[in-house]
């Protein structure tokens, strides 16, 4: 049986750069640049195909940037090349990130016909003034229309993005956004607290965010609201309407499963090696860019500990011993010392609660420190 592989395609184009975003993306690019990107991407897919002959591709993810800005025809061209060059599982999860302002009928129709079966829609807020403060170029009314069009086109797996802990945001305002997004009946929600990255416009403006206690209250409000709505909290920032609607592609990152990235800024974990393409579209288009190998040996055991505790499936002490030959006892002692409000223990698995997710950083550091005593 072939091993499973995920493909990630980084689309570095945006209609406008969001004020908080530090992902690699470029605004205001001409259609000819997008055409050149697709040509280079298909070349790169062809070059990597032989190395993937022993794998079945079971997830494909178009991220960005804004993949929907490419339009459906360009996205279909890339998917056709993947289908021609790779062994794609019939039930593969194929996701495209999309923004409401570029979710046109043409994009949705062509993407659905090409095999895209999951959309990740960047809505972020139900309040237009909050969207403007974030530098988003769509309104919530556009988001409503975009989701309705996606449903009419037959998309039955929609993930919606929501941001919280925005400047001046109150619990009442966040509740209104949550209720508005839940009314769209999504299968999945990704909910992220706003982080001020220093090299972004919002980071340079340094707006006042809710304080630490207020951010904690907003996070728990998200968790409680979505739990009442029937969502499972399966990763710190991600909620699904049942296991089958978990993001299979993102889950492979947390499970240390192999993935291969294409496009400027894309990362890979393939063949036991971590690599990253330079964040330089021009060099990548010329063929002058080469993926850089991550320095140093990867401690997969420590990484498993850190990633597994971010998920509801939790860290499995038995797997830790069997897969990595590490003694789990020091880590178990560190986790057992935590208050029951933060940690649950089922068999050989240890799981953080919602309250534990909220303070996950010090818990992870304590667990990693304990792992050093093996």
């Amino acid at each position: 049986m072939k091993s499973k592989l995920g493909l990630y395609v980084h689309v570095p184009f945006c209609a406008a750069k969001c004020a908080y975003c530090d992902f690699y993306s470029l605004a205001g690019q001409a259609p000819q640049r997008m055409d050149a990107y697709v040509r280079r991407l298909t070349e790169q897919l062809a070059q990597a195909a032989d190395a993937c002959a022993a794998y079945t591709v079971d997830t494909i993810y178009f991220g960005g940037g804004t993949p929907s800005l490419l339009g459906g025809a360009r996205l279909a061209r890339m998917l056709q090349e993947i289908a021609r060059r790779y062994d794609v599982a019939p039930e593969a999860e194929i996701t495209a990130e999309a923004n409401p302002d570029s979710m046109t009928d043409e994009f949705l129709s062509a993407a659905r016909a090409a095999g895209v079966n999951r959309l990740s829609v960047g809505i972020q807020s139900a309040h237009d003034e909050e969207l403007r403060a974030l530098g988003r170029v769509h309104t919530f009314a556009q988001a409503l229309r975009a989701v309705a069009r996606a449903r009419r086109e037959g998309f039955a797996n929609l993930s919606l993005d929501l941001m919280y802990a925005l400047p001046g945001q109150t619990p009442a305002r966040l509740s209104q956004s949550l209720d508005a997004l839940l009314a769209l009946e999504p299968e999945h929600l990704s909910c992220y607290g706003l982080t001020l990255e220093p090299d972004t416009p919002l980071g340079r403006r340094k707006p006042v965010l809710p304080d630490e206690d207020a951010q904690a209250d907003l996070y728990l409000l998200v968790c409680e609201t979505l739990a009442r709505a029937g969502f499972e909290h399966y990763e710190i920032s991600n909620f699904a309407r049942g296991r089958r609607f978990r993001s299979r592609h993102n889950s492979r990152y947390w499970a240390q499963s192999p993935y291969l990235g294409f496009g400027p800024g894309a990362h890979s974990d393939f063949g036991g090696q971590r690599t990253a393409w330079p964040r330089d579209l021009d060099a990548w288009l010329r063929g002058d860019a080469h993926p850089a190998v991550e320095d140093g040996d990867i401690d997969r055991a420590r990484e498993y500990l850190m990633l597994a505790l971010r998920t509801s499936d939790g860290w499995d002490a038995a797997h830790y011993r069997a897969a990595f030959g590490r003694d789990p006892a020091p880590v178990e002692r560190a986790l057992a010392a935590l208050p029951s409000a933060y940690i649950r223990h089922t068999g050989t698995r240890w799981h953080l609660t919602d309250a534990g997710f909220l303070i996950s950083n010090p818990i992870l550091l304590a667990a990693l420190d304990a792992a050093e005593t093996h």
Side-chain angles (χ1 to χ4, degrees):
M1 180 182 295
K2 288 185 174 183
S3 299
K4 305 295 186 184
L5 177 68
L7 301 183
Y8 173 79
V9 178
H10 189 74
V11 179
F13 304 111
C14 280
K17 190 77 173 177
C18 294
Y20 56 86
C21 180
D22 69 342
F23 290 111
Y24 180 61
S25 63
L26 304 167
Q29 300 296 297
Q32 294 88 340
R33 293 270 279 175
M34 297 185 188
D35 292 336
Y37 164 85
V38 172
R39 287 193 297 271
R40 179 70 184 109
L41 198 286
T42 57
E43 292 171 2
Q44 196 178 93
L45 286 166
Q47 292 164 2
D50 286 348
C52 302
Y55 292 85
T56 295
V57 173
D58 66 340
T59 66
I60 303 169
Y61 195 102
F62 292 91
T66 309
S68 54
L69 194 63
L70 282 178
R74 294 188 184 95
L75 192 69
R77 174 73 184 90
M78 292 188 287
L79 276 171
Q80 289 163 3
E81 188 68 13
I82 292 171
R84 187 162 74 92
R85 302 280 187 178
Y86 296 79
D87 178 15
V88 180
E91 71 286 358
E93 175 194 85
I94 304 177
T95 303
E97 292 182 354
N99 280 348
D101 51 291
S102 52
M103 286 172 63
T104 63
D105 289 338
E106 181 274 335
F107 167 75
L108 292 167
S109 176
R112 189 76 186 94
V116 176
N117 51 30
R118 183 175 184 271
L119 294 176
S120 178
V121 185
I123 295 181
Q124 313 305 356
S125 171
H127 301 287
D128 287 349
E129 59 272 32
E130 290 181 345
L131 293 173
R132 286 193 295 271
L134 292 170
R136 305 292 292 180
V137 296
H138 70 271
T139 65
F140 186 61
Q142 282 179 296
L144 293 175
R145 292 193 294 269
V147 169
R149 284 196 297 270
R151 292 300 195 193
R152 286 198 300 271
E153 198 58 51
F155 284 97
N157 191 353
L158 295 184
S159 176
L160 307 182
D161 285 356
L162 174 72
M163 297 192 78
Y164 64 92
L166 307 181
Q169 189 177 54
T170 63
R173 297 275 285 176
L174 178 58
S175 287
Q176 290 167 359
S177 282
L178 281 165
D179 290 344
L181 266 62
L182 286 171
L184 298 174
E185 300 184 339
E187 285 70 35
H188 186 279
L189 281 159
S190 293
C191 302
Y192 303 102
L194 175 62
T195 300
L196 296 179
E197 301 293 346
D199 292 330
T200 63
L202 201 60
R204 289 189 286 272
R205 290 202 296 268
K206 299 180 180 178
V208 177
L209 302 184
D211 64 27
E212 197 170 280
D213 288 342
Q215 289 189 35
D217 290 341
L218 294 171
Y219 177 77
L220 293 175
L221 172 62
V222 169
C223 297
E224 292 160 6
T225 301
L226 296 185
R228 287 196 302 271
F231 284 78
E232 63 159 345
H233 189 184
Y234 74 98
E235 193 271 343
I236 287 180
S237 302
N238 288 279
F239 303 79
R241 201 179 288 280
R243 179 174 285 269
R244 71 190 182 99
F245 289 117
R246 292 182 180 186
S247 170
R248 286 163 49 194
H249 185 85
N250 288 343
S251 292
R252 77 182 321 121
Y253 300 149
W254 307 319
Q256 299 177 299
S257 297
Y259 58 93
L260 194 57
F262 300 89
H267 291 253
S268 299
D269 185 355
F270 183 72
Q273 191 174 67
R274 289 272 172 74
T275 58
W277 287 92
R279 293 160 60 112
D280 186 336
L281 177 61
D282 289 328
W284 183 83
L285 288 174
R286 293 193 304 267
D288 295 339
H290 303 282
V293 178
E294 192 173 90
D295 292 334
D297 293 330
I298 303 167
D299 188 334
R300 299 281 179 173
R302 283 174 59 85
E303 183 181 69
Y304 166 67
L305 173 59
M306 180 183 67
L307 293 174
L309 283 174
R310 290 179 56 92
T311 71
S312 63
D313 289 341
W315 175 76
D316 186 349
H319 176 76
Y320 185 75
R321 183 190 295 277
F324 307 108
R326 301 284 182 89
D327 179 10
V331 178
E332 291 192 287
R333 286 194 293 271
L335 296 176
L338 294 170
S340 59
Y342 298 143
I343 194 81
R344 291 182 290 110
H345 183 206
T346 309
T348 60
R349 287 188 177 271
W350 297 79
H351 321 253
L352 296 185
T353 64
D354 284 346
F357 281 150
L358 179 61
I359 60 164
S360 60
N361 285 342
I363 291 175
L364 294 177
L365 288 173
L368 291 170
D369 286 345
E372 291 297 324
T373 67
H374 74 274

